[in-house]
Structure formats: C-alpha cells, structure tokens
Amino acid sequence: MRKETKEYNYDWMLWSIIDNAAKTCDGSRKEYESLLGLIPHLRDLLHTIISQGEPGILLLKLLAGYLKKILTAHDEGKKIAMTTFCFAPPILYAFDVVPLLLEPITGLGTFILRRGTAEYLDYCCEVGFTETSCSSQRGSLGAYLAGLATRPDLIVCDSPGICDTNANSYAFASAYLGIPFYQLNHPPSLTDERSRRYHTEDFRNMIAFIEEQTGNKLDQDRLREVIEEIKIQDKLICELTDLQQLIPSPMPSIYNLFLYSGVFLFNGTKGFTRLLRSMLKKVRTNAEKGIAGTRSTGERARGFFSYIDHYTTDLRFWQWLDANDISHLGCILSSFWQEGAAYAVDREDATYRMSTDSMESMIDSLAAQMSRMPMVKSIRGPYDAPNMWLDDTLNMARLFKADFVSYFGTIGCRNTWGMVKSYARDLERHGIPTLILYSDSFDDRVQSWEAVTDKMSEFIHLRGIGKRL
Ligand code: SF4
C-alpha cells in the first residue's frame, strides 16, 4: 500500500467527505450551486444524490451520523461489531452496539474515491487472504487489516454455505486481528419446522455471545422499541414495493439503493423511518401524476437486477439508468420478505412477521427476519428449488412487469457463478430476456464501466427492449 494511502484512516476519510457533503444543502441554493464548481471530484456524486431532494439530503445526513458513530463509539463506551450486509442490524441496535458493515463501507469508497478501493482490496491479498474472494468485503477490509480504521470489538456474520467467500472474510479478519467471532448458520431450506428451530436456537446462541462480549443483558424495552420501529418501516417498504408495480414505475431508480442501504445500516432506527416517509411522499406524488421516477419522468424500459447493482464511481450506474429512462425495479438486495410484501402473495410461509408480544416472540421475529435477509433467503439452496433464486426472480420479474433481467456480481460470487448460466437459460425459457454481466460491481479493474454500458446498450438494442432505445 502506498505511503499516501496510509496517511489518513479510511473510515475517517469517508466520514469527513460525507459529513461535508451532507452540509452542502444547509445553505441557500445559490451557495450549493457555486460550491459544485469548486469540487470537481465530488460534484457528480453529490449532485446525483442531492437532486433527489429531501430523501437524498436525509440519506447523506444519516450516513454522516452513522460514520461518526463508528469513529466515536469507543470514546462513548460502545462496542463495534463488524458484520455483513446479510446480517440484520436491529439486534445490534437493541444492544446499543454500533454495526460496522464492510460492504456498504466498501461501496462508499467506490462511489467517492477517484482511485477506487484497489489498494485496500490488494492489501488483503498481501497479508494472505485469497484474491478470488468477494471484493465487497475486501474493498474496506484491507483498511481494517492495515490498522487504517477504527478497530472493531467483535465480529458476527451469517453467510457460511450461502456465500463462503463472504463468511471467510470475517473468519480471516477474526483470526488476523484476534477479534472474537460468531457466525450464524443457515440450513439449505427455509420454511420447514426443522430449519425454523435451527434458526431460532442459533440466534439465541448469538445473543448469548453478544451479551458475553458487551457485558450487557438484552434489554426488553429497548428491543421492543427497535421492533416497533421495524414494523412501521416494513409497512412503508411494502407500500413502496406496491407502487413500483405501476407502469410507469413512479419510484426513482436510485431509491432502491437508498432503500437497501437504509435497511442494512439503519433498520429499526427512527432516522430510517424519516427517510422512508420522505421517499414514499415523492413516489406517491409521482404515482398520482402518472409519471415515472426517471429524470425525464418517462419510462422506456423496466429492468429487474437479479442480484446486486454496480457501484462504480459517481453512481454512474444510476446515472446511466436515468439517461436511458430505464426504471430499476429492484434487485435481490431490495427484497426483504416482510409480511405483506407484494411479492410474497401465496408465499406467506417465506415471510417474517414482527411481534412484540413477549421477549420470546421478539427474539423469534428477529431470527426469522435474519434468515430472510437478501442472499441468505434465496441463495442458500439449489437455485431452482422453491423459494430460491430462480423462483424469486420469476415471481418478481412477472410482478413488476420487467422487460429484462440483468445479473451483476463480483469475482467472488462462486455460488451464483456456478448456476448463473442455467438460471439465465431458465429465465429465457420463460420469455424473459436475461443478460449476464462479467464485471465486478466493486472493482473496475475486472471490467471497465464503459465496457459494461456497451454490453447493456447492445443487449437492450439487440433484444428490442424499450420503445425508443
Ligand atoms: S454472493 Fe457475491 S456479492 Fe454476495 S457476498 Fe458473496 S461474493 Fe460477495
């Protein structure tokens, strides 16, 4: 790693940039517009978010506050738990532990830093971690391994079997940094009684681990508060998903990113409820006017992104969608399987339901939510089994009336690379044009963003997707 890269801590850099970005709208519009001319490296990213109005500003403020909490946790006597986006954070909020999610922290780096996160990615390999692992963890993990970020106190993950490269990242971090570690396991099936029992018992063992690490017992009132907030959030998310079914989709494509980042980082907190309400207000207004959420308010095509999105610098993926009037109808990351979700009709056994009736029922609810987190829910078993990836994609592509399905992953996605061709073939058999992209969502060195857009444009043109593309 270069000397310059070691000059500042990675998490501090992200916080200082996002904190300043979040303040840019505190002044007048004229001040904001004058500022854009002075920050050529941040201008495009900032404007892509701020142009979304109140939801964009709220998201930036939430992110700035979140990063600050990581930086100040130890001074405030709080523990930090390193974890993954597959892990629902409410249980950590109930313990007043600060969740530190590697993938969103990597994503922030790829969005913001001109140089990307290559040096942190490579540093993991320099100290012995495999280069075929997922870039979504490695992009920020390198900073933690190099001592260039606030050291976490414990590590919890829940991805063995679902994504072993994900699970290995946390196991490696634990061994390398000497940090206590707990991993939840998920059986290959979801809805049978044996799996449910396994999930809840495993979840209770994890609670015992967190109690041991923090020295605190799980507080019933605080847990109830968090779950009440999730109940509100689940209703708001369900309404957003309902509205996405309209043609044109009134939801701006980038709201999918706001939605899943929010669940990963802030689920169960009041700030996230404010963000969801603000998003919903805008989506409802668009729906009443009958306009699309795209920049031009028109919709030429509807895409379901069947796995993850692409996190290249300046949010260029979302800019490209907008420039081409393509509505993003969601991806595996934006499907949470709460009770009442539009995609769960006739699949109620695959959903979770939040209950605050008793301590036991609250813990069971969170265990059920955890076992339905993105990836954990639908990549745990054979791709074409009930409730798994193909079943879920067909269901959502039909529900949202998608014109096409597209796959982005990382070089580490062995579980999906092993089945993606059969999966695409099956979708095509059902009449859904499907594109597999061979890029890495977090590492542009694998395939440039320009090559990705060429592939997507060619696919859309050749398959005759959209009205005027
Ligand atoms: S499935 Fe792919 S994107 Fe998800 S954690 Fe694993 S390697 Fe990363």
Side-chain angles (χ1 to χ4, degrees), residues 85 103 134 136-137 163 165-166 307-308 375 410 412-414:
F85 73 100
E103 301 85 356
C134 179
S136 71
Q137 292 90 38
C163 176
T165 71
N166 177 314
Y307 204 45
I308 59 176
M375 268 189 18
T410 78
C413 294
R414 288 195 269 287

Side-chain angles (χ1 to χ4, degrees), residues 84-86 103 132-137 159 162-167 307-308 333 375 379 407-416 442:
T84 165
F85 73 100
C86 312
E103 301 85 356
T132 56
S133 60
C134 179
S135 47
S136 71
Q137 292 90 38
S159 37
I162 292 139
C163 176
D164 291 335
T165 71
N166 177 314
Y307 204 45
I308 59 176
L333 301 181
M375 268 189 18
I379 313 286
Y407 168 90
F408 287 116
T410 78
I411 55 164
C413 294
R414 288 195 269 287
N415 224 356
T416 52
F442 297 87

Side-chain angles (χ1 to χ4, degrees), residues 34-203:
S34 312
L35 178 78
L36 289 181
L38 303 172
I39 48 168
H41 292 319
L42 195 62
R43 184 183 51 212
D44 291 344
L45 170 111
L46 183 65
H47 197 59
T48 304
I49 297 178
I50 296 286
S51 60
Q52 298 302 325
E54 186 186 66
I57 298 165
L58 281 175
L59 180 76
L60 283 175
K61 293 203 181 285
L62 280 175
L63 286 171
Y66 166 71
L67 291 165
K68 181 86 184 281
K69 276 198 185 106
I70 294 173
L71 296 177
T72 57
H74 291 153
D75 290 342
E76 291 172 8
K78 293 184 185 175
K79 300 275 187 194
I80 300 174
M82 178 183 273
T83 188
T84 165
F85 73 100
C86 312
F87 186 99
I91 188 68
L92 297 174
Y93 282 120
F95 271 106
D96 206 15
V97 166
V98 180
L100 163 61
L101 282 85
L102 286 182
E103 301 85 356
I105 302 267
T106 295
L108 287 173
T110 58
F111 286 148
I112 292 172
L113 304 175
R114 292 278 127 186
R115 61 181 182 276
T117 54
E119 286 186 83
Y120 305 110
L121 277 160
D122 293 349
Y123 186 78
C124 294
C125 307
E126 285 168 33
V127 298
F129 191 42
T130 170
E131 74 279 11
T132 56
S133 60
C134 179
S135 47
S136 71
Q137 292 90 38
R138 255 196 305 139
S140 54
L141 181 60
Y144 289 89
L145 300 182
L148 293 171
T150 314
R151 183 184 161 89
D153 305 288
L154 58 148
I155 301 179
V156 279
C157 84
D158 65 334
S159 37
I162 292 139
C163 176
D164 291 335
T165 71
N166 177 314
N168 285 343
S169 301
Y170 296 92
F172 185 89
S174 164
Y176 189 86
L177 297 169
I179 296 175
F181 176 47
Y182 188 95
Q183 60 182 23
L184 289 163
N185 295 302
H186 295 294
S189 58
L190 177 75
T191 54
D192 54 291
E193 178 53 23
R194 197 158 167 246
S195 293
R196 193 199 61 76
R197 230 182 20 251
Y198 187 95
H199 284 142
T200 51
E201 283 168 20
D202 198 19
F203 195 78

